[in-house]
Amino acid sequence: MSTPAYPGFCSVESYLRLPRNPETWLIRHLVPSSGAALLFAPSKQGKSFAAIDLANCIAGASDDWLGFDVVTHGPTLYLQLDTPRSVWAQRFEDLQHSGFRCHRDLMLADRDSIEKFPFDILNQGHAVYLRSLIAPQRPVAVIVDTVRESHSGEEDSSTVMRNVISGLVWASQPAALILVSHDRKPNPDANKDLMADHRGSSYVVGRMDVVLRLTNNRLYFKGRSIEEGFVKLERLD
């Protein structure tokens, strides 16, 4: 007899026999398999470029992302809801002209290529639709850029944001969910408090397994399995 996926409460011995991902990490010490991550920064700070590079590494382009081991590779889906296709496509063309090579398992969708737009994860029909797009690809990671454009609710409400994150996780599971969002502060170096500088409800950062904050020359990180720290960045033309 197979072990049920949802057995309710059970003994430790039974619990340890339940189905689980054999690999703990997507990116070691940062993003767990089937986990949740948040990357945020002020506008025009390059967060989408950082997210593209992250997605490309997870897809299989590299075993390393900014010094962190990428230990699980596979199809990676990037849903762009914030930027029109004309600009988004130009970014990829510019990247390719500069020598950046996109892995074949990095797949894109934008607001012009999905049926439900404006998209709203709080709409059950939209959530089901998104899940129907994601599930056949069997991704290891889904990136949503940006969180604000994925719902119609009030982002300062913990109740609303709990439903937003739950909906996105449900649509993406068992893939890891990586969210791209905006900074609260206009000055990217005004405050290094990762838990306070993300705009909107504090529920979002509290729900994440890791929080990443991009500034002009650093990537700050803090997570359930890693102490707060930073990586120095060098910006190229």
Side-chain angles (χ1 to χ4, degrees), residues 77 79 81 109 114 116 119-121 123-136 142-144 150 167-172 177:
L77 310 185
L79 175 60
L81 297 172
I114 61 173
K116 309 291 187 182
F119 181 78
D120 186 1
I121 193 65
N123 181 316
Q124 185 177 5
H126 288 202
V128 171
Y129 170 71
L130 181 59
R131 184 174 173 86
S132 75
L133 296 181
I134 292 173
V142 175
I143 297 179
V144 177
S150 71
L168 291 172
V169 167
W170 177 81
S172 303
L177 176 65

Side-chain angles (χ1 to χ4, degrees), residues 36-38 122 147 151 154-170 177 179 184 194-211 224:
L38 175 70
L122 297 174
V147 181
H151 67 95
E154 174 53 60
E155 61 183 348
D156 288 330
S157 168
S158 295
T159 300
V160 168
M161 294 313 300
R162 179 182 184 276
N163 292 335
V164 167
I165 303 303
S166 295
L168 291 172
V169 167
W170 177 81
L177 176 65
L179 303 175
R184 182 191 303 274
L194 295 182
M195 299 299 108
D197 281 357
H198 179 254
R199 79 181 195 182
S201 168
S202 60
Y203 172 83
V204 178
V205 293
R207 170 62 176 78
M208 297 295 111
D209 294 297
V210 67
V211 177
R224 302 188 195 280

Side-chain angles (χ1 to χ4, degrees), residues 2-165:
S2 61
T3 303
Y6 304 103
F9 289 99
C10 58
S11 69
V12 173
E13 182 179 354
S14 297
Y15 179 80
L16 294 177
R17 290 199 299 265
L18 294 177
R20 54 177 160 164
N21 196 313
E23 174 53 60
T24 302
W25 296 105
L26 193 66
I27 302 177
R28 196 179 309 280
H29 302 310
L30 280 188
V31 185
S33 298
S34 302
L38 175 70
L39 169 64
F40 71 98
S43 297
K44 317 304 181 187
Q45 198 63 248
K47 57 184 174 293
S48 289
F49 283 110
I52 291 169
D53 187 47
L54 171 61
N56 202 42
C57 290
I58 295 171
S62 175
D63 292 331
D64 172 274
W65 184 69
L66 299 179
F68 293 98
D69 294 335
V70 181
V71 295
T72 302
H73 295 291
T76 304
L77 310 185
Y78 199 121
L79 175 60
Q80 172 57 255
L81 297 172
D82 194 41
T83 303
R85 181 178 295 174
S86 57
V87 176
W88 190 236
Q90 184 64 52
R91 289 183 181 179
F92 278 90
E93 290 177 346
D94 291 342
L95 284 168
Q96 290 181 328
H97 290 159
S98 69
F100 185 88
R101 293 292 174 259
C102 294
H103 194 273
R104 64 181 180 276
D105 281 339
L106 171 58
M107 291 174 280
L108 309 177
D110 60 31
R111 64 193 198 185
D112 298 319
S113 62
I114 61 173
E115 178 183 334
K116 309 291 187 182
F117 190 81
F119 181 78
D120 186 1
I121 193 65
L122 297 174
N123 181 316
Q124 185 177 5
H126 288 202
V128 171
Y129 170 71
L130 181 59
R131 184 174 173 86
S132 75
L133 296 181
I134 292 173
Q137 306 297 335
R138 301 177 65 86
V140 299
V142 175
I143 297 179
V144 177
D145 187 355
T146 61
V147 181
R148 173 64 271 184
E149 296 302 322
S150 71
H151 67 95
S152 61
E154 174 53 60
E155 61 183 348
D156 288 330
S157 168
S158 295
T159 300
V160 168
M161 294 313 300
R162 179 182 184 276
N163 292 335
V164 167
I165 303 303

